[in-house]
Amino acid sequence: MFQFVFSRVYCVNRVRRKWKEFEKTLGCAEEGHASLGRDPDWASYTLGVFICLSCSGIHRNIPQVSKVKSVRLDAWDEAQVEFMASHGNDAARARFESKVPSFYYRPTPSDCQLLREQWIRAKYERQEFIYPEKQEPYSAGYREGFLWKRGRDNGQFLSRKFVLTEREGALKYFNRNDAKEPKAVMKIEHLNATFQPAKIGHPHGLQVTYLKDNSTRNIFIYHEDGKEIVDWFNALRAARFHYLQVAFPGASDADLVPKLSRNYLKEGYMEKTGPKQTEGFRKRWFTMDDRRLMYFKDPLDAFARGEVFIGSKESGYTVLHGFPPSTQGHHWPHGITIVTPDRKFLFACETESDQREWVAAFQKAVDRPMLPQEYAVEAHFKHKP
C-alpha cells in the first residue's frame, strides 16, 4: 500500500515538475500567454498538454480525442507521465497550430464559450491547422448559406440567405430565397462582427455592424451549428484581412490582424439628457465602439438613436466625473460629463462602479492620439441629440 501511494505521489510530482520546467509553456495550452496567472492544473494525457479548468471541460466533450486528468488530484501511471514528459504545450502548438491562418481568431480567456470550444475542436478534432484544405469554409473568398436573422421591426428571427463575396467586397443578405436583389449590402471596408450571446439570447449569437449613410446599422444573427457560425465569423475576418492587405500594401500581418474585428470597449445602461440639458434624463443602452459612442432605446435595436464621436484630448475632448452645477432631472446619481469642441454631453450611471468603468472607457479613447482617417470621420460625424 505504501509503495502504491509513493508511486502515485511520485508520478503526480513528475507531472508538476514537467509543468514548472519550461517557462515558455506557462499558461493554458489553448490560450497561450494570455492566460498567465490562471491555474492550468489539468492535463490531457492523450494530447500531452496542460490546460486550465475552463478548457478542461471542453476537452472532456471530445473524449475520442482528449482525455483529461487533474494534475493534483488524479492518479497517474508511469506511461502517462512519460507521455506528458515527452510532449508539452510547445510541442502541441508546433504540431496542431502549424498552419493557423493569420486572420483566424485565437480566443482569449474572456471570450465566449463558443469561440473557445470551436478553437479546440478545430485544433484537435478536425485538425484544421495541420491540413489547410480543411480551411476552405472560411478561406475560399466566397461563402453563402442560411442564417437566422432578427427582424428589425418585429424582433422575430427568420431564416435569411447570406452571401459573402471578397470579389465584390461585400456581405449581402436576401429576404427571399428567389430574390434577385439583396435586402442589404454591407461593405467589407466598414464591417465588424462580434459574438454577443447574452445580448442576443442565443449561445451562437453574432452581432454584425456596418455603416449606412455614416451611421451604424446592427444586424443580429445566429446558426444552430456552432462550427457554422464561427466559420462565418472567420470568413468575415478573412475578407477584411484581404481587403486591408490591398488597402495598406506595406503593412505587416501583425499590423492588420487587430483591425479585422473588435469587441466593444463597453456596453450598458446610462441615462442621458438632450443638448439643452434642460430635458429630463432618459435611460438608454450605450455601446462604445472604438471612438463611436452609440445609444439605443433597446440593446437589439437596428439603428442607434444617436452617436457621439469621442476624439482625443489634443482635439479638445475631455472626460469629467460628475455633472455641471445645477444639473437636474437625473434619476441615477453618478454623473459623467464629456466635453467636445461642439458641446457637453451629460450621462448618469446607476452605480459608482458603472461610472468608473465608463470613465475608463472614455478616457482610453481620449488619451489615444487620433489617426489621420479618424479626423475625416470626425469631420463628417453627425452629433445627434
Side-chain angles (χ1 to χ4, degrees):
M1 177 67 180
F2 174 79
Q3 185 176 6
F4 169 77
V5 173
F6 177 80
S7 177
R8 174 181 173 181
V9 172
Y10 171 74
C11 289
V12 169
N13 285 339
R14 280 199 65 194
V15 174
R16 291 179 186 169
R17 283 199 302 273
K18 167 63 179 172
W19 177 246
K20 299 296 183 184
E21 281 173 7
F22 304 101
E23 290 186 5
K24 289 184 179 179
T25 62
L26 284 174
C28 171
E30 311 314 337
E31 297 162 352
H33 297 285
S35 64
L36 286 175
R38 291 157 68 89
D39 287 329
D41 286 338
W42 297 80
S44 168
Y45 61 89
T46 53
L47 294 171
V49 295
F50 293 90
I51 52 181
C52 65
L53 175 62
S54 177
C55 290
S56 72
I58 300 173
H59 274 256
R60 290 184 188 278
N61 288 333
I62 49 173
Q64 70 277 18
V65 175
S66 181
K67 297 188 183 299
V68 175
K69 281 189 176 186
S70 167
V71 172
R72 300 179 185 276
L73 303 176
D74 289 328
W76 289 78
D77 61 37
E78 285 286 350
Q80 293 165 350
V81 173
E82 289 297 334
F83 185 80
M84 296 299 299
S86 62
H87 290 74
N89 292 2
D90 281 349
R93 290 192 187 105
R95 179 188 177 195
F96 293 106
E97 299 181 24
S98 62
K99 295 173 180 169
V100 181
S102 297
F103 60 79
Y104 196 96
Y105 187 80
R106 294 172 178 260
T108 68
S110 61
D111 279 314
C112 64
Q113 173 82 3
L114 175 67
L115 277 171
R116 292 184 292 113
E117 177 185 349
Q118 289 303 317
W119 166 250
I120 290 171
R121 288 185 179 275
K123 276 176 65 173
Y124 305 117
E125 186 178 46
R126 300 190 292 269
Q127 298 190 352
E128 293 177 14
F129 312 131
I130 297 177
Y131 305 106
E133 63 271 17
K134 295 187 177 184
Q135 300 169 13
E136 190 272 341
Y138 46 82
S139 64
Y142 181 89
R143 183 179 176 88
E144 68 174 71
F146 289 87
L147 298 169
W148 293 98
K149 177 189 170 293
R150 188 179 189 272
R152 186 183 69 182
D153 300 320
N154 58 20
Q156 293 182 334
F157 281 89
L158 298 173
S159 180
R160 294 288 183 255
K161 180 182 177 181
F162 281 76
V163 175
L164 171 65
T165 166
E166 287 189 16
R167 183 174 60 83
E168 298 178 27
L171 173 68
K172 302 180 283 189
Y173 80 86
F174 301 79
N175 267 357
R176 298 192 316 275
N177 295 351
D178 59 350
K180 294 183 179 179
E181 296 297 324
K183 176 66 175 177
V185 178
M186 297 159 263
K187 288 295 183 182
I188 294 299
E189 177 184 2
H190 300 299
L191 185 144
N192 184 50
T194 180
F195 279 96
Q196 295 274 21
K199 181 196 288 189
I200 295 173
H202 192 283
H204 303 165
L206 185 68
Q207 179 174 347
V208 177
T209 61
Y210 63 101
L211 291 182
K212 183 175 182 180
D213 301 325
N214 204 39
S215 293
T216 303
R217 166 82 158 93
N218 298 319
I219 63 170
F220 303 95
I221 57 178
Y222 72 85
H223 195 286
E224 294 291 354
D225 186 295
K227 179 184 183 302
E228 282 291 314
I229 196 66
V230 173
D231 282 351
W232 271 103
F233 175 64
N234 281 300
L236 292 172
R237 285 174 57 88
R240 293 239 338 131
F241 182 64
H242 297 143
Y243 161 77
L244 291 171
Q245 283 181 314
V246 174
F248 304 98
S252 67
D253 289 1
D255 293 329
L256 299 181
V257 167
K259 298 177 172 62
L260 302 186
S261 62
R262 61 190 181 274
N263 295 325
Y264 300 132
L265 295 178
K266 172 75 177 163
E267 283 195 294
Y269 283 106
M270 289 192 292
E271 292 181 332
K272 69 168 293 294
T273 187
K276 296 180 181 179
Q277 301 170 13
T278 56
E279 305 91 335
F281 280 69
R282 294 185 178 182
K283 181 180 175 182
R284 294 289 183 258
W285 176 267
F286 284 81
T287 296
M288 182 71 176
D289 183 10
D290 197 30
R291 292 193 182 275
R292 287 177 181 259
L293 177 65
M294 300 167 284
Y295 56 91
F296 308 82
K297 188 174 182 180
D298 184 273
L300 295 177
D301 283 346
F303 293 98
R305 291 293 183 97
E307 303 188 36
V308 180
F309 183 85
I310 310 294
S312 67
K313 55 189 176 185
E314 291 84 0
S315 298
Y317 292 80
T318 309
V319 183
L320 304 172
H321 283 80
F323 301 113
S326 73
T327 300
Q328 298 179 348
H330 52 91
H331 304 93
W332 289 347
H334 304 284
I336 300 174
T337 301
I338 296 181
V339 181
T340 77
D342 299 329
R343 55 168 280 199
K344 293 180 179 179
F345 292 87
L346 308 185
F347 308 104
C349 300
E350 186 175 15
T351 68
E352 190 175 354
S353 174
D354 286 342
Q355 181 195 44
R356 284 197 304 268
E357 292 175 5
W358 277 111
V359 167
F362 296 146
Q363 197 65 53
K364 185 176 181 181
V366 168
D367 288 342
R368 190 176 77 245
M370 287 170 58
L371 301 172
Q373 59 266 33
E374 291 176 329
Y375 285 100
V377 174
E378 180 189 37
H380 294 92
F381 209 89
K382 297 177 181 179
H383 294 296
K384 299 180 181 180

